[in-house]
């Protein structure tokens, strides 16, 4: 989670919403890491999770990341949660909960839907205070 938090801080420094994600292979090596790039890419889908998932799959040369874990600083939105399912992530570990836009523990609860093909193990609230503080501080500066 420390690497994901570092990615979130880097994203904030670029003016992006501070969310960071890291994909870890079954052997514990880091396959990919990313921070949000929505503004830089002019792409509403350039969430940290999406970028990290795509980069890890490209690095492995496979469309699925079976046995891999995703660490992300914020509860994934419904789009990212669905992608996590499609990529077959083994375990999702996230920091801050997102009651408004989350898609795992809140909102759509994608993994609980009968249409969900794969449900990863989910651990929420890891380094929650630090992840939430990054987001709070980022938005407080802009209001």
């Amino acid at each position: 989670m420390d690497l994901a938090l570092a990615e979130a801080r880097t994203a904030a420094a670029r003016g992006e919403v501070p969310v960071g994600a890291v994909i870890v292979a079954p052997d514990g090596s880091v396959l990919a890491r990313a921070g949000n790039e929505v503004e830089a890419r002019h792409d509403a889908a350039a969430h940290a999770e999406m970028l990290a998932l795509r980069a890890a799959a490209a690095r492995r040369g496979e469309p699925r990341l079976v046995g891999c874990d995703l660490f992300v600083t914020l509860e994934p939105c419904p789009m990212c949660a669905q992608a996590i399912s499609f990529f077959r992530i083994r375990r999702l570990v996230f920091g801050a909960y997102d009651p408004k836009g989350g898609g795992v523990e809140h909102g759509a609860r994608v993994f609980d839907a009968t249409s969900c093909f794969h449900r990863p193990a989910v651990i929420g609230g890891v380094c929650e205070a630090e992840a939430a503080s990054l987001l709070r501080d980022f938005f407080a500066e802009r209001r």
Side-chain angles (χ1 to χ4, degrees), residues 44-47 50 53-54 76-86 101 103 110:
H47 292 193
M50 298 296 289
L53 289 164
R54 289 174 179 152
C77 73
M79 172 186 70
C80 293
Q82 193 65 62
I84 290 163
S85 176
F86 287 157
V110 170

Side-chain angles (χ1 to χ4, degrees), residues 53-133:
L53 289 164
R54 289 174 179 152
R59 183 168 176 191
R60 285 183 75 175
E62 300 174 357
R64 289 171 196 83
L65 299 169
V66 175
C68 295
D69 298 333
L70 168 61
F71 294 81
V72 62
T73 58
L74 180 64
E75 176 184 349
C77 73
M79 172 186 70
C80 293
Q82 193 65 62
I84 290 163
S85 176
F86 287 157
F87 276 93
R88 306 294 194 267
I89 288 293
R90 176 181 66 172
R91 181 175 55 168
L92 164 65
V93 180
F94 69 85
Y97 289 87
D98 188 355
K100 183 176 177 183
V104 176
E105 300 289 334
H106 297 89
R109 297 179 187 259
V110 170
F111 303 141
D112 293 337
T114 56
S115 59
C116 184
F117 295 113
H118 170 77
R119 186 190 202 295
V122 176
I123 302 168
V126 175
C127 298
E128 179 181 7
E130 186 174 355
S133 177

